[in-house]
Amino acid sequence: MIPPKAVQIRLLQKQVWREGLVSLRFTKPESFTFRPGQFVRLGLELKASEDSYISRPYSFASLPTDPFLEFFVVEVPGGQFSPSLVARLAGEEVYLEPDLWGQLLPDRLSGGTTLWCLSTGTGLAPFISILRDENTWKKWPKIVLVNSVREVEDLCYSHQIEEFAQNSKYGGAQGRYFRYIPVVTRSPTQFLSRRIPLLLEEGSIQDEAGLQLDPVDSRVLICGNPEMVKATRKLLKEKGFSTPRQDKSGNMLAENLWLPNK
């Protein structure tokens, strides 16, 4: 059954990065807003019956001030939901459930001089939103963005990432530093090629960044598949990182990307 608060949004534009990997821009409901790092559920009626409605969570890749809502979506072969979402054409509608979710909020972290953003696959989406927010760069003058994918064709948002490096609103200003570190795990490339936790443990990512990863000066955001998130959190906890609690500050936040039946 369609949730009472769900509203229809219309697809404005589809950017096809490769077959089954797209960015979708939808109309934005009036007065709707969110915070960079949050996610919502998108819904579809897959058949003409009341019990055919299903929804899945997706992080925003857009900014709250954008006149559209953008999501970064990968098709999971055999999935119940994502193949239908990826197949949407401009002008077609989906449902937006307006309740906001997510703890990957930079405001929950204080202190430090360097922000590390560690992602796999479409876990890059919230970091595109977070790094497009100029307040992020005012808070952390040094930012490292890591995105691990299977194949080089899965490395997306290159123009936006280049803007992070060059534009004075972001990392291009004097006194700021931005380093993008792509990781490709399935094919031989010039990029790093092992899993993020292993690369952190051996220091390869730190060497590529030219920075130390320590709990005093570093703040870490993690978004990706549950295995990466679990292993990375364990490694960082051993290095002295912790998640903020109600009565205790922290220097690390994580969000799982994958949920069943996508």
Side-chain angles (χ1 to χ4, degrees):
M1 181 177 295
I2 300 170
K5 293 192 294 184
V7 296
Q8 288 185 307
I9 54 176
R10 178 170 46 86
L11 181 60
L12 298 170
Q13 179 182 351
K14 175 161 63 174
Q15 167 72 57
V16 179
W17 302 104
R18 52 96 168 150
E19 185 177 358
L21 185 65
V22 301
S23 291
L24 304 176
R25 286 187 176 182
F26 292 93
T27 53
K28 181 179 178 181
E30 186 176 355
S31 76
F32 177 79
T33 191
F34 61 92
R35 296 163 66 187
Q38 289 186 310
F39 64 86
V40 289
R41 296 182 73 90
L42 300 179
L44 292 170
E45 280 188 291
L46 299 183
K47 298 177 182 178
S49 62
E50 288 189 1
D51 60 354
S52 68
Y53 177 84
I54 60 174
S55 65
R56 296 289 183 264
Y58 289 95
S59 295
F60 297 101
S62 48
L63 277 178
T65 53
D66 287 331
F68 53 82
L69 302 177
E70 181 168 324
F71 303 93
F72 187 28
V73 181
V74 64
E75 177 179 349
V76 178
Q80 290 181 312
F81 186 87
S82 61
S84 295
L85 181 61
V86 167
R88 295 285 109 169
L89 300 175
E92 295 183 327
E93 296 179 326
V94 305
Y95 286 94
L96 171 76
E97 298 178 17
D99 290 336
L100 297 167
W101 306 89
Q103 300 298 316
L104 200 70
L105 303 174
D107 287 348
R108 297 183 62 208
L109 301 176
S110 61
T113 59
T114 304
L115 180 67
W116 298 75
C117 301
L118 310 177
S119 66
T120 59
T122 55
L124 177 68
F127 296 131
I128 296 299
S129 179
I130 288 168
L131 298 190
R132 287 186 62 213
D133 183 354
E134 294 179 47
N135 291 322
T136 302
W137 298 88
K138 294 174 182 177
K139 191 170 184 178
W140 292 286
K142 300 177 183 178
I143 295 180
V144 179
L145 174 63
V146 180
N147 186 223
S148 177
V149 298
R150 294 180 177 181
E151 304 289 348
V152 70
E153 64 181 352
D154 297 333
L155 294 171
C156 303
Y157 284 94
S158 58
H159 292 299
Q160 181 63 72
I161 292 170
E162 180 65 22
E163 187 175 9
F164 291 148
Q166 301 295 333
N167 196 314
S168 60
K169 293 194 302 182
Y170 308 122
Q174 185 174 2
R176 294 181 183 173
Y177 177 87
F178 174 67
R179 187 74 170 92
Y180 170 53
I181 303 175
V183 178
V184 179
T185 60
R186 294 286 180 89
S187 301
T189 67
Q190 72 271 35
F191 305 122
L192 296 176
S193 62
R194 303 178 72 192
R195 295 174 59 245
I196 286 177
L198 294 175
L199 293 171
L200 290 172
E201 187 172 18
E202 70 187 20
S204 296
I205 287 177
Q206 296 91 314
D207 290 343
E208 285 285 313
L211 297 167
Q212 295 298 313
L213 180 60
D214 67 83
V216 175
D217 293 325
S218 299
R219 300 295 178 265
V220 184
L221 301 175
I222 311 165
C223 186
N225 69 73
E227 289 184 3
M228 183 280 283
V229 171
K230 181 179 179 180
T232 303
R233 288 184 65 182
K234 181 177 182 295
L235 174 67
L236 293 178
K237 284 182 179 180
E238 293 170 355
K239 293 180 177 293
F241 287 84
S242 62
T243 302
R245 304 296 180 188
Q246 192 170 19
D247 59 346
K248 183 181 179 182
S249 61
N251 43 25
M252 171 179 62
L253 293 170
E255 193 92 82
N256 284 333
L257 172 64
W258 290 351
L259 291 176
N261 300 320
K262 293 193 78 176

